[in-house]
Structure formats: C-alpha cells, structure tokens
Amino acid sequence: MSAKADTLRALHEQRPLVLPNVWDAASARTVADAGFPALATSSGALVNALGYEDHEQAPVDEVLAAVARITRSVDIPVTADVEAGYGLGPAEIVERLLDAGAVGCNLEDTDHAAGALRPADEQAEWLGTVVDLAAGRLVVNARVDTYLGGSRRDDDAIARATAYLGAGVDCTYPIGFLDEATTARLVDAIPGPGHVLSFPDGPARGRLGDLGVARITFGSSLFKAVMSSLADRVEGLRP
C-alpha cells in the first residue's frame, strides 16, 4: 500500500497526470487495460451507479464497499473521491480508506449539512490531521470549492489552496470550469501541485500540461457519456 501511494505521489511529477474517473470494477478494469498508471473515482458517478445522488446522499458503507471492489479489480493505484468525508473523523476516514485499498483521496471543503464552505482554517487543521494519521500512505488531494455555483473568487481559492498545502496535503483541486487565464493564475500563485477538471470547451489537456497543471480528471463526464450511449442503444431496441 505504501509503495502504491509513493507511486501515485511520484506520478504528479510527470505532468500532467491524466486520471480517467471510474465508478465500478468494470470501468476500472477498462481504464487500467488502456494503459493508465493510476485511477481516480468520481463521487458523482460512483454514487449514481449505486442509485443515489451526489453530495453525501449515499451511505458511506456502500461508497467504501464500491471503492474496495474497484481496488480489488486492478493492480494500479486508486485514489477515491470521498467528498467531505461523509461525517467521518480523520482517524476513521484514513483507516477505512486504507481498508478499502485506496492509496489516495479527494477531500472537499464544502460542508454539505450547512450548504456552505467550511472556514479555511478549520478545513486546513482537519486536513492536517488526516495527513498526519495517514503517514504517507494516502496521497491527499484537497478540493477547493470556491468556484462552484459560478463564483469567480480567485483570491479565496489561492488562499485556501495555500493553507491546505501548508497543512501537508499533496495536491489541491480548485474545481470548476476554469478558463486558461484563470488556470494559469492559479498554477502560478499556488505553491504546490495543482489539479484541474477537464471539460469539452476548456483548455486542451496538452495546454494544461504546458501551464504546469500536475493532475487532470474528468468528474462524472465519462459516466454520463457511457449512460448516454446506453440510452441511445436501448432506444433503438424498442419495438
């Protein structure tokens, strides 16, 4: 497990690290067989596949059981999106992720119960405890949610990401549909590896690498594309 975490951590130096998001064992094996060196789950895709809505509406036991099925199905490192931790304390989230076979995690700074961002200092302290307890066995990616809902709060995103890196996380993820100029500003201002969401009208993946982005993921877009294709296929089967 520690070796896989070290591998995942080192992959961030081979910029950009492209991690297609998976949601079950079948999608995980498909992506691994395509030659990708590591996998990331999408919380939205995974819980939708389980029959729930995103934003911590799924039971955490079912989420982690799904993560375990994914990690058992492949030999490469898997990082799991566990939203804001599903109400688990730092010790339990670390223990349960490791038990599920994950060697990385996304942890976001939205308080879903309150419907707002957690104070940055509280989130940084919480993340620091997770990092300390993981002791290198988890690559911690701190999601920064300031852009969700259409906000353009660059300074807040930079301040939060900087605080989280100061707490010891490995990477930060200001999530949103970010244009090239915003991405460049964030990469330049945040003192550590940065992760961005790839989307159809956004900067090309090669350009993101040129800008210095360390990690690229796709959210639930691959899952949605698969489900859209399925809908088209089954429509053609109707009598």
Side-chain angles (χ1 to χ4, degrees):
M1 292 291 291
S2 294
K4 282 187 175 180
D6 290 342
T7 296
L8 178 59
R9 194 171 283 111
L11 286 169
H12 288 76
E13 300 300 321
Q14 302 173 20
R15 301 182 179 184
L17 171 61
V18 177
L19 297 177
N21 296 92
V22 302
W23 54 91
D24 61 10
S27 60
R29 285 194 298 267
T30 299
V31 173
D33 289 347
F36 287 88
L39 303 178
T41 70
S42 158
S43 66
L46 187 149
V47 301
N48 285 173
L50 293 173
Y52 299 98
E53 296 300 317
D54 202 5
H55 309 310
E56 299 195 343
Q57 298 302 300
V60 66
D61 290 348
E62 291 193 40
V63 171
L64 291 171
V67 171
R69 288 192 292 272
I70 290 168
T71 63
R72 286 197 301 267
S73 72
V74 295
D75 293 327
I76 57 179
V78 176
T79 179
D81 184 344
V82 286
E83 304 202 47
Y86 287 87
L88 302 178
E92 190 172 9
I93 195 66
V94 168
E95 178 183 1
R96 297 194 65 179
L97 281 166
L98 294 173
D99 285 347
V103 296
C105 61
N106 274 18
L107 290 166
E108 61 200 44
D109 55 6
T110 294
D111 181 338
H112 291 285
L117 294 178
R118 293 186 67 189
D121 56 347
E122 292 181 12
Q123 181 70 358
E125 182 178 2
W126 190 84
L127 288 167
T129 304
V130 171
V131 169
D132 290 345
L133 292 170
R137 296 171 294 171
L138 290 173
V139 177
V140 179
N141 184 41
R143 203 179 86 173
V144 179
D145 288 356
T146 55
Y147 294 106
L148 297 184
S151 174
R152 309 301 301 178
R153 295 158 60 188
D154 292 358
D155 291 342
D156 191 11
I158 292 165
R160 283 175 174 270
T162 301
Y164 303 159
L165 287 162
V169 306
D170 297 280
C171 189
T172 59
Y173 179 20
I175 188 172
F177 300 118
L178 307 182
D179 59 25
E180 183 172 316
T182 301
T183 301
R185 182 183 182 203
L186 294 176
V187 170
D188 183 62
I190 295 171
H195 170 187
V196 300
L197 177 71
S198 177
F199 58 99
D201 296 328
R205 290 189 292 281
R207 180 58 181 153
L208 291 173
D210 292 342
L211 293 173
V213 170
R215 174 172 172 172
I216 300 170
T217 56
F218 305 84
S220 59
S221 63
L222 297 176
F223 173 75
K224 290 176 180 176
V226 169
M227 298 310 297
S228 177
S229 177
L230 175 61
D232 291 343
R233 292 290 297 273
V234 297
E235 181 67 24
L237 300 177
R238 295 177 61 185

